[in-house]
Amino acid sequence: MKEFLLSSTLPYWLLFILGVSSVGYSLYITFKSDENTPITKQTADQLMGVLLFVGLAVIVFYNTLGGNALWWITGKEIGYVAKLLRVIPLVVFLAAELAAPFAYKLLMETYLDDKSLSIKPQFLALVVIVPAAILVSIFAGNIWFYIIAGVGVVGGVLYSASRNVNSAGAKTGLVFTIVSFILCASALVTLLYLIVAFFSLIFEMLPVIACIIGACMIFGKSYGNAVMRRDDDGNYIANDGSKHSSQSSRDARDQQIHAQRNQ
């Protein structure tokens, strides 16, 4: 399986199609439903299954391949333009993954006759607190990652679970909490992958960026000298080609030349 994931983009395109279409269809079904066309249990279960499959697949890919999962973007044999184009589906997929927990929440709330479900605490814990904990751990040590991430995630999940159980019952509330947690975790993994992809592209472009900046500086200096009529030694050049140490001296000489021409 690992060899297949490292050699074919088919699984990634399949996840992309399933992820984007399931989120879009969930939102479509939710806003389309009314008293005459309610969401059926079969539809809710099927959409939950697809969303859950995509979320679990992303997590499995991460655990199986780690950073190598981005070989189809960061590979050395891939041109820079192709890499930029391949980042676009990843950005779209990230948007779908970030929307997936909330699309699932709206779907289930509509299916359960507008019962209020909680998802924001665990979403913020995973997508905001965990990345923040990673940054803190870089400077303060790994122990702080486990403290901050652990407290944030456990607290967010328990808070959401208690509210969901009170609102929808033990079975439905716990199932919703577990599924939404997996969707939030999948969004976190996709976000980290996107950050890695962008940094990889930026570091690859550093030599090109440095050349562009250098060329702009040289052109800017040359253009400035041409406008100011200065040579490389900093002398100001009058209209007759004479060199002057100051701009005022050069301008005075130009005025003399102009006056002589008008006589």
Side-chain angles (χ1 to χ4, degrees):
M1 178 181 178
K2 185 175 182 179
E3 291 74 15
F4 177 65
L5 293 176
L6 289 173
S7 59
S8 175
T9 59
L10 180 61
Y12 303 93
W13 282 115
L14 177 62
L15 283 183
F16 174 81
I17 294 171
L18 287 177
V20 174
S21 61
S22 60
V23 170
Y25 190 66
S26 296
L27 293 174
Y28 171 75
I29 288 295
T30 299
F31 292 114
K32 180 185 177 183
S33 66
D34 53 29
E35 294 181 355
N36 298 323
T37 56
I39 298 174
T40 64
K41 184 179 187 302
Q42 182 180 8
T43 300
D45 289 343
Q46 288 176 346
L47 286 172
M48 181 190 73
V50 177
L51 291 169
L52 185 59
F53 171 79
V54 174
L56 288 173
V58 170
I59 297 172
V60 169
F61 279 20
Y62 172 76
N63 289 329
T64 303
L65 303 178
N68 293 327
L70 289 178
W71 63 268
W72 50 282
I73 293 179
T74 59
K76 295 181 180 179
E77 71 281 359
I78 303 172
Y80 190 79
V81 175
K83 291 180 179 180
L84 286 176
L85 293 176
R86 293 187 179 195
V87 166
I88 296 175
L90 185 59
V91 174
V92 175
F93 185 71
L94 172 62
E97 287 296 276
L98 291 174
F102 298 97
Y104 176 57
K105 176 179 181 291
L106 290 174
L107 175 73
M108 292 303 296
E109 285 180 338
T110 303
Y111 168 68
L112 296 171
D113 295 327
D114 296 327
K115 290 184 181 296
S116 179
L117 297 171
S118 174
I119 196 174
K120 189 179 293 184
Q122 56 184 341
F123 179 84
L124 293 176
L126 284 168
V127 181
V128 177
I129 294 179
V130 170
I134 293 175
L135 292 177
V136 171
S137 67
I138 294 175
F139 302 99
N142 290 335
I143 185 63
W144 285 103
F145 169 78
Y146 296 107
I147 294 174
I148 297 174
V151 172
V153 172
V154 172
V157 172
L158 290 179
Y159 181 80
S160 290
S162 64
R163 290 193 57 185
N164 293 332
V165 169
N166 291 333
S167 176
K171 181 180 178 180
T172 302
L174 289 176
V175 169
F176 175 82
T177 302
I178 293 171
V179 173
S180 58
F181 176 82
I182 293 173
L183 297 181
C184 292
S186 175
L188 170 63
V189 172
T190 308
L191 175 63
L192 294 178
Y193 270 136
L194 183 63
I195 293 173
V196 170
F198 272 124
F199 272 102
S200 175
L201 294 175
I202 290 173
F203 282 121
E204 187 173 332
M205 276 295 290
L206 281 179
V208 178
I209 295 173
C211 291
I212 294 175
I213 294 175
C216 290
M217 292 178 64
I218 294 173
F219 176 78
K221 181 179 179 181
S222 300
Y223 179 76
N225 286 342
V227 172
M228 297 297 295
R229 287 184 290 154
R230 302 180 68 179
D231 58 18
D232 293 336
D233 295 327
N235 296 313
Y236 292 86
I237 310 301
N239 288 331
D240 61 355
S242 60
K243 298 181 178 180
H244 301 266
S245 59
S246 65
Q247 183 177 353
S248 59
S249 175
R250 188 274 311 275
D251 292 343
R253 177 55 184 159
D254 285 343
Q255 290 177 2
Q256 292 177 357
I257 296 171
H258 181 71
Q260 292 173 358
R261 289 175 179 175
N262 293 332
Q263 287 179 356

